[in-house]
Amino acid sequence: MAHERLLPELAEGDLVVLHDTGAYYSSAPWAYNSIPRPGGHGFLHRDGAVEPATVRTPQTLAEVVEESGLSHGTALLRGLTPGPA
């Protein structure tokens, strides 16, 4: 997103915000590389306050594996007989 920028040291639990990354980031082909889709977050202005809002829940590794075809894992093995060693 930027080159040669000094940033403060980050610690576990810190949040990093990339403003205005656009829709492509949200629709990037994560499943192409079996990478879990990140969560999507935004914010709402209500009564002068800003509230965080989850737009999309982060994908779990189990969901990636299922989406990649876990339930059909042996589909191409049915009916095969072992060949000579």
Side-chain angles (χ1 to χ4, degrees), residues 2-85:
H3 297 278
E4 298 180 18
R5 304 284 179 171
L6 293 177
L7 298 173
E9 186 172 333
L10 298 174
E12 185 174 339
D14 287 349
L15 298 176
V16 175
V17 176
L18 301 175
H19 292 279
D20 302 321
T21 57
Y24 179 77
Y25 181 79
S26 186
S27 64
W30 300 99
Y32 176 80
N33 292 314
S34 295
I35 298 172
R37 286 185 296 274
H41 307 281
F43 59 90
L44 301 168
H45 289 278
R46 289 192 181 165
D47 302 322
V50 177
E51 293 180 27
T54 299
V55 178
R56 178 178 65 199
T57 304
Q59 189 177 32
T60 66
L61 186 55
E63 290 169 332
V64 171
V65 171
E66 183 58 41
E67 185 177 283
S68 296
L70 176 65
S71 62
H72 303 287
T74 60
L76 299 177
L77 301 177
R78 290 187 197 122
L80 294 179
T81 57

